[in-house]
Amino acid sequence: MSIARNSEKPARPVGVGVVISGNEAIARGAYEAGISVIAGYPGTPSTEIIENAVKYHDLYAEWAPNEKVALEVAAGASFRGARAMATMKHVGLNVAADPLMTVSYTGVNGGLIVVVADDPGMWSSQNEQDSRHYARLAKIPVLEPADSQEAKDFVGLGVTLSEAFDTPVLLRTTTRIAHSRSLVHWGDRQIPPEKALERKIEKYVMVPAHARRRHPLVEERLGKLSELANQVILEVPVSRTGGLTTGEKDLAGAIGRRLLGLNRLEWGDLEMGFITSGVTYQHLREVFPTATVLKLGMTYPLPARTLRELAHMVKDLYVVEELDPFLETEIRALGIKVAGGEIWPRVGELTPDLVAASLAAFESSGEMASLPGKGDKNPRKMDSLPTATPVLPPEKPVSSRAAPFKEEAWFSREEASFKEEAPLRPPVLCPGCPHRGVFYNLKRSKSLVSGDIGCYTLGALPPLSAMHFQISMGASLGMAQGLAKAGGGEDGEKVVAVIGDSTFLHSGVTGLMDIVYNQGNVTVLILDNRITAMTGHQHNPGTGRNARGEPAPEVDLVKLVEALGVERVRVVDPYDLEATGQALREAGQEDGPSVIIARRNCVLLDRSSWSPLVVDAEKCTGCRLCLGLGCPALTSSGKKVTIDPGLCTGCTLCQQVCRFDAIGEPGGAR
Amino acid sequence: MDRINDIIIAGVGGQGVILAGTILTRAFLTAGFDVKQAEIHGMAQRGGSVESFVRRGEKVHSPLVRRGGVDAILALETSESLRWLDYLRPGGLVVASRETIVPVTVTQGISRYPQAIAEEIGRRTDRLLFADTLSLARQAGNAKAANVVLLGLFARNLELERSLWEETIARCVPERAREVNQRAFALGWEHFD
């Protein structure tokens, strides 16, 4: 079969290497594994899976309104017999957790993969939860690829597991897998054997009587999966194949069957053994090139027998993992003595430097002797080989265990070792961003603002600083209701909830329903920029286009909020500062729910209309009032303000703010 | 010429850091190297600093570079050459644009734009190339191609054939932007000749 049939993707010969991101590789993996239905909601770092999947016309791929719906779509497709996938970021899995817990009980018909992309270091997230815990909670296997090749291959292996064990499979990546590019060899698309539609009510309808029969099967499944996990690939360095000791040969015979290929034992020095997974494996290999490493591709359930045998083989056994001690806790529960949590940080992203330096610091601190297992060793069978020595960076190794990768927060930076340093350059609202006028007004009205997830969360940063609460998708509305019922602003002022169009459709509608139903004194501002902007312009049910960019029915936000029972709905142009301020003032005086829809396309959607303004230096008094907008196009050189023509879009907010008529179109049109 | 394997491309959202990284990565792959590239998407694009790590070798494990282990920094914005300077190995190569983009933190007085940038880099290495990539890009036909001008400057310091770079650029940019980018690359390549 031809891989490029019906596909816009450039035809690449099967087997030839390409360098692609983990997300592109997962989309490719879905194509090759014969997956035919994919649904997801955008969220960094998972978004590009769907964006790439839509390029394969043999697949159906959609943006769902939220992750829960996405997983339900995938589950339905699986029940119908198709191979299916749902994609989301880590916090999205919280939204999808409800169906996940019970799809674990129903099991699948067609293979079902749930991709979850974690974000250690919180490059673009509100928390750094370790989603592997969901595997244990839902009692399903979790696979962790360590590069793009594995990201692709593990989709196929996951589908095999899913169908063989009647279970959904979690495929967990992290930012450095999802957004790193590495070499991948293309394969062919497999066309799975057609599965008949089954109406098995006792399997797929989880009423208590049915669920009670399913739960024991779930427990049994975990045991079988754990046994399967022991089928590891054994890798022995070429230099040592002739020189294996008898004990090593025994172990190789015991656990060296190359079957499933998810877990891999890489033979090396026996002084130090490491258990690891995901991108951390790559960091570890970088700094300990010759150590013995058990690289787990499936991190739940664990290969208990292999782990016990490994513990007997090596002198000191370490677990190196990013974020939570997930593997470590499980391995300790097996009665195996390992170290890990004492050495490597539990917060932020691991790096090769941190993997090396944390261990070096720990060894030199003398705490090594107090490690669990020291002096009370896992009994050893083998003679030790020379110790694996970490390859430290040539100079200036990071000294602190918690040394950050770069800035820890938007406005802090680790102590600089150089006299001159790069200026702070946090993300900011773009020049011409339609959200700016809204937040400028909110700042001036000193409103108490409950915010949400999107570009507009940047309205919380100086100089606008006009958002006071923000936790999760859709939460602005429920929080505003609580804030209002608990007293509102300092003097009882009406609370303002700010939410974007896509976020409102994701999980804001029910919050607004609550505000209406229980008559909260809240002004709800829906920032309708006609796109899901934060994650890079994905369509949503309000944009009139689907994931492929084809025309689609469009949610009418005004009708929707009216149908919920909102009586006062205003639509304003956020580029009109006065009109937006007026709408806010009026709504603030009304008792009960009010909705303002601030409608203006994301400025990045159409660059053709950009027309930069200029400052008339003679008229500019240097009052700096316009700088309060926080627009990157405005800078002050000396006393006067100037506009960067390469950045300005001509949104005119600064022109509206200026009291001296000093800003206008070039050529003195004003 | 010593081997340049680990590279950081630094700049500001919208400058084309990611495209420059993609061209480098593909060129190295074509030349037969194992290669990995890491970058940060999402919030960093909203006017924030953006970086891409590119590593090549016979076998590359981690996509992340190491402090003191980086062979070259490409800065698409002048002050961004400093952000990762402590990752540069002593004597490493810095290729930087003279384009400055002043962040709002400076306008607000929260931060300050560095002045003695070349001197600061000089404390780490004497291999520093500065060029007005913006003017050169305009000369090539589009200011947006400043990233490819910088790539040309940098590529001149590597062992790969010029034709390999040109073929890679042709594959990485859309048809309509091809000519401008080839001119931009040539202007960078020949700038110090």
Side-chain angles (χ1 to χ4, degrees):
Chain A
M1 86 200 73
S2 156
I3 60 154
R5 188 174 54 91
N6 298 330
S7 171
E8 287 172 3
K9 273 258 175 211
R12 294 179 204 281
V14 170
V16 170
V18 289
V19 172
I20 56 176
S21 72
N23 283 343
E24 290 171 86
I26 289 170
R28 178 71 199 183
Y31 169 80
E32 290 181 10
I35 284 175
S36 55
V37 174
I38 307 184
Y41 183 80
T44 313
S46 72
T47 312
E48 299 81 6
I49 301 170
I50 298 281
E51 290 190 322
N52 282 283
V54 297
K55 295 175 187 168
Y56 296 101
H57 284 216
D58 310 71
L59 310 181
Y60 169 78
E62 72 167 37
W63 288 125
N66 67 32
E67 297 84 354
K68 179 176 181 291
V69 175
L71 177 48
E72 290 154 354
V73 168
S78 159
F79 296 164
R80 180 63 179 79
R83 291 180 173 172
M85 177 187 272
T87 71
M88 58 204 68
K89 71 182 291 178
H90 59 329
V91 287
L93 189 53
N94 303 335
V95 178
D98 195 359
L100 181 69
M101 289 302 132
T102 305
V103 169
S104 167
Y105 277 33
T106 62
V108 304
N109 187 10
L112 175 60
I113 306 290
V114 181
V115 182
V116 58
D118 282 6
D119 189 15
M122 292 174 277
W123 294 101
S124 193
S125 301
Q126 64 268 40
N127 75 29
E128 53 183 345
Q129 71 184 45
D130 188 330
S131 298
R132 294 178 298 177
H133 293 293
Y134 274 108
R136 185 160 52 191
L137 189 59
K139 300 173 189 286
I140 58 174
V142 57
L143 311 184
E144 290 191 73
D147 57 24
S148 295
Q149 181 72 51
E150 285 191 352
K152 179 179 84 69
D153 293 345
F154 281 15
V155 174
L157 287 167
V159 165
T160 305
L161 272 185
S162 176
E163 291 179 355
F165 290 83
D166 194 9
T167 179
V169 171
L170 201 57
L171 180 70
R172 184 237 190 190
T173 68
T174 57
T175 299
R176 296 305 185 176
I177 296 299
H179 285 175
S180 290
R181 290 187 171 78
S182 62
L183 194 60
V184 171
H185 294 279
W186 254 206
D188 255 335
R189 177 163 166 92
Q190 310 167 25
I191 304 299
E194 207 150 303
K195 290 208 171 190
L197 169 62
E198 293 172 334
R199 301 192 186 211
K200 289 187 182 168
I201 292 172
E202 68 287 356
K203 184 174 188 293
Y204 295 118
V205 177
M206 282 303 96
V207 293
H210 296 168
R212 282 187 202 112
R213 287 204 289 274
R214 297 295 307 176
H215 187 185
L217 300 177
V218 169
E219 300 298 331
E220 196 183 308
R221 182 177 78 197
L222 263 188
K224 287 181 187 165
L225 281 161
S226 175
E227 192 47 45
L228 179 90
N230 289 304
Q231 299 176 350
V232 300
I233 292 177
L234 183 68
E235 266 190 14
V236 182
V238 181
S239 59
R240 292 201 55 228
T241 41
L244 288 187
T245 66
T246 314
E248 284 173 340
K249 280 177 185 158
D250 287 348
L251 185 65
I255 64 176
R257 286 158 296 170
R258 186 191 177 109
L259 285 171
L260 193 62
L262 279 164
N263 297 333
R264 189 168 75 220
L265 181 60
E266 296 176 355
W267 217 259
D269 304 334
L270 295 179
E271 198 73 13
M272 294 171 102
F274 294 93
I275 300 160
T276 190
S277 66
V279 77
T280 310
Y281 161 79
Q282 307 290 2
H283 304 334
L284 189 71
R285 264 291 165 242
E286 193 83 31
V287 294
F288 293 103
T290 61
T292 290
V293 175
L294 176 61
K295 178 195 169 300
L296 295 172
M298 180 162 77
T299 47
Y300 190 83
L302 290 181
R305 195 153 37 81
T306 304
L307 286 162
R308 290 204 179 90
E309 283 163 347
L310 178 67
H312 291 164
M313 290 290 304
V314 299
K315 183 157 163 281
D316 293 319
L317 194 53
Y318 299 88
V319 181
V320 196
E321 56 189 325
E322 214 163 41
L323 299 179
D324 293 351
F326 179 79
L327 299 173
E328 189 180 338
T329 306
E330 288 286 312
I331 292 168
R332 284 191 173 161
L334 292 169
I336 297 167
K337 298 177 177 68
V338 291
E342 309 86 338
I343 300 167
W344 290 281
R346 287 284 158 251
V347 293
E349 189 175 64
L350 281 182
T351 64
D353 284 345
L354 268 177
V355 168
S358 300
L359 187 58
F362 189 77
E363 281 174 333
S364 65
S365 72
E367 286 177 70
M368 206 66 169
S370 64
L371 274 187
K374 276 282 171 185
D376 179 23
K377 291 215 166 301
N378 297 305
R380 293 189 53 205
K381 288 176 182 166
M382 306 301 151
D383 290 329
S384 65
L385 291 162
T387 312
T389 316
V391 182
L392 284 168
E395 59 173 57
K396 267 179 53 85
V398 277
S399 57
S400 154
R401 264 203 235 179
F405 184 62
K406 50 179 298 198
E407 289 100 325
E408 277 214 287
W410 289 346
F411 284 100
S412 73
R413 182 178 154 87
E414 64 179 299
E415 204 175 315
S417 49
F418 292 88
K419 203 174 66 190
E420 285 279 30
E421 58 178 348
L424 297 172
R425 207 184 287 277
V428 287
L429 292 176
C430 301
C433 176
H435 302 328
R436 181 171 282 107
V438 170
F439 284 101
Y440 186 73
N441 269 301
L442 288 171
K443 183 193 183 184
R444 290 210 303 181
S445 66
K446 298 188 170 60
S447 305
L448 185 65
V449 178
S450 161
D452 227 297
I453 308 278
C455 294
Y456 49 91
T457 313
L458 296 169
L461 300 186
L464 296 166
S465 307
M467 180 184 295
H468 309 101
F469 308 95
Q470 175 259 329
I471 49 175
S472 62
M473 289 288 287
S476 58
L477 296 143
M479 285 194 298
Q481 170 77 346
L483 289 163
K485 293 296 179 191
E490 282 82 353
D491 297 311
E493 299 92 341
K494 194 165 178 176
V495 176
V496 178
V498 178
I499 186 166
D501 50 341
S502 186
T503 308
F504 180 68
L505 296 171
H506 174 282
S507 50
V509 181
T510 44
L512 179 57
M513 203 182 294
D514 184 56
I515 290 169
V516 175
Y517 176 49
N518 292 304
Q519 286 298 294
N521 196 28
V522 177
T523 298
V524 175
L525 253 167
I526 302 174
L527 307 181
D528 183 14
N529 63 354
R530 318 293 304 150
I531 203 74
T532 312
M534 182 83 221
T535 43
H537 289 177
Q538 290 75 35
H539 285 291
N540 65 56
T543 66
R545 298 264 165 190
N546 66 17
R548 290 195 198 279
E550 299 154 350
E554 177 182 329
V555 173
D556 184 327
L557 287 178
V558 173
K559 279 190 189 163
L560 173 63
V561 301
E562 281 175 351
L564 293 173
V566 177
E567 287 167 6
R568 292 168 299 240
V569 186
R570 294 174 177 81
V571 179
V572 298
D573 178 359
Y575 272 5
D576 187 338
L577 275 183
E578 182 46 40
T580 305
Q582 178 69 20
L584 273 168
R585 279 191 298 277
E586 284 173 12
Q589 297 304 311
E590 294 160 358
D591 200 27
S594 311
V595 169
I596 300 171
I597 298 172
R599 181 168 292 158
R600 166 65 73 164
N601 283 4
C602 170
V603 70
L604 301 180
L605 280 177
D606 177 18
R607 295 160 197 244
S608 64
S609 61
W610 291 7
S611 137
L613 302 181
V614 292
V615 177
D616 183 339
E618 281 179 22
K619 289 183 182 170
C620 178
T621 64
C623 75
R624 301 172 69 90
L625 193 62
C626 56
L627 297 183
L629 287 163
C631 177
L634 296 170
T635 51
S636 70
S637 52
K639 206 171 168 298
K640 310 281 185 182
V641 168
T642 52
I643 292 176
D644 183 335
L647 294 176
C648 179
T649 68
C651 78
T652 75
L653 288 194
C654 55
Q655 189 178 7
Q656 295 173 51
V657 164
C658 180
R659 290 175 183 171
F660 301 97
D661 202 19
I663 300 175
E665 287 164 19
R670 294 189 42 130
Chain B
M1 189 183 315
D2 59 345
R3 179 52 61 86
I4 291 174
N5 287 331
D6 287 8
I7 299 150
I8 295 177
I9 308 169
V12 178
Q15 281 195 305
V17 169
I18 305 299
L19 175 65
T22 304
I23 295 172
L24 267 188
T25 303
R26 290 214 192 164
F28 289 155
L29 181 74
T30 308
F33 294 95
D34 186 22
V35 60
K36 280 195 178 164
Q37 183 195 1
E39 65 206 22
I40 291 298
H41 298 211
M43 294 207 93
Q45 292 185 329
R46 304 285 171 264
S49 55
V50 180
E51 65 277 339
S52 173
F53 303 154
V54 178
R55 308 189 64 212
R56 66 164 170 172
E58 202 176 312
K59 173 74 191 162
V60 178
H61 285 289
S62 177
L64 301 183
V65 295
R66 304 193 66 181
R67 212 175 275 254
V70 168
D71 303 306
I73 292 176
L74 278 67
L76 297 178
E77 195 274 352
T78 313
S79 72
E80 290 302 314
S81 58
L82 298 180
R83 194 171 305 280
W84 295 90
L85 193 55
D86 49 353
Y87 276 68
L88 189 72
R89 68 170 160 79
L93 173 68
V94 176
V95 184
S97 167
R98 286 194 196 281
E99 181 179 3
T100 60
I101 300 173
V102 178
V104 286
T105 55
V106 170
T107 312
Q108 291 156 21
I110 300 168
S111 184
R112 105 177 231 290
Y113 198 89
Q115 301 304 314
I117 292 172
E119 290 78 356
E120 193 58 46
I121 295 169
R123 289 153 63 141
R124 190 80 179 173
T125 182
D126 56 3
R127 296 172 63 205
L128 169 62
L129 302 175
F130 260 127
D132 189 349
T133 57
L134 209 52
S135 298
L136 291 166
R138 285 199 189 102
Q139 200 181 318
N142 191 334
K144 289 269 168 211
N147 56 346
V148 177
V149 173
L150 197 79
L151 203 63
L153 278 165
F154 172 66
R156 194 76 167 97
N157 293 273
L158 298 185
E159 81 290 354
L160 304 186
E161 294 289 331
R162 181 170 177 169
S163 57
L164 187 144
W165 291 103
E166 289 165 349
E167 286 155 23
T168 308
I169 290 166
R171 279 189 288 130
C172 289
V173 302
E175 178 87 51
R176 60 190 147 74
R178 217 158 273 170
E179 257 183 63
V180 168
N181 279 289
Q182 295 293 9
R183 279 199 298 272
F185 182 81
L187 285 170
W189 180 277
E190 292 155 10
H191 189 61
F192 287 109
D193 285 356

